[in-house]
Amino acid sequence: IPAYVGIPINQHIPGNYCFYWLHTHATTDVIHVEAPARGTYTLGQFFAIWRYTAEWDRQSTVAQAPRVDDAFPSALRTAAAKDIRVYVGNTPVITSYQSVALANHKIITIELGTPLKPPVATFDWPHWKGL
C-alpha cells in the first residue's frame, strides 16, 4: 500500500489539512482509520479513496510532492472474481473483498492473479514505529 492514500497532493500545501477518514501515512501497509464517529469501514471504501486520491494527484500542479498510483485498485476493479483471493489472517474470505470490514490490528491479504503465495498472517505490532 503506498504512502499518502487518502491524503491528496493538494493537502501538502501549508495550511491545507484535510485527510480522508481512511488513509495511509507511510509504506508500512497500515491503513489508518481516523473518523469523527465510530462506524464500520470497509476495504471497498478504502480502495475508492485510493482511486480518488490518485485522481486528485494526477490533476495537481504541486511540484515535488509524492503522488499516489491507483494501478492496484484499478486492477482489482477489472479482475475476474476467480482471480482475487482475500484472507483475514489465514482464513479465506468468501464474500467480496469490498465488504471486508477494517478493524484494529486486523491483517488482511489480497492476492490478484497468480502465482498465489500463502497469506501474511502476522505483523510485528510491538516493533512498529507508527505512521
Side-chain angles (χ1 to χ4, degrees):
I1 300 175
Y4 305 114
V5 169
I7 307 172
I9 219 168
N10 288 343
Q11 302 312 314
H12 296 272
I13 300 169
N16 286 344
Y17 301 102
C18 179
F19 293 19
Y20 282 93
W21 295 348
L22 304 177
H23 60 269
T24 64
H25 292 279
T27 57
T28 58
D29 293 335
V30 175
I31 300 169
H32 294 251
V33 178
E34 296 177 30
R38 288 184 150 304
T40 300
Y41 301 96
T42 66
L43 275 180
Q45 291 171 310
F46 177 74
F47 284 120
I49 289 168
W50 189 339
R51 289 190 309 274
Y52 297 145
T53 304
E55 183 61 30
W56 273 82
D57 287 0
R58 278 191 290 276
Q59 296 177 20
S60 176
T61 59
V62 176
Q64 302 298 319
R67 297 187 186 270
V68 171
D69 178 284
D70 65 345
F72 187 74
S74 294
L76 274 176
R77 283 180 59 181
T78 59
K82 68 178 181 55
D83 294 328
I84 302 171
R85 304 282 187 277
V86 181
Y87 300 87
V88 174
N90 284 321
T91 305
V93 173
I94 57 172
T95 60
S96 166
Y97 71 88
Q98 295 175 331
S99 64
V100 174
L102 302 173
N104 196 32
H105 294 191
K106 183 184 254 185
I107 298 180
I108 302 167
T109 302
I110 300 175
E111 296 180 339
L112 182 58
T114 57
L116 300 175
K117 300 178 185 177
V120 175
T122 61
F123 188 87
D124 191 4
W125 290 109
H127 295 101
W128 182 54
K129 302 293 186 211
L131 304 177

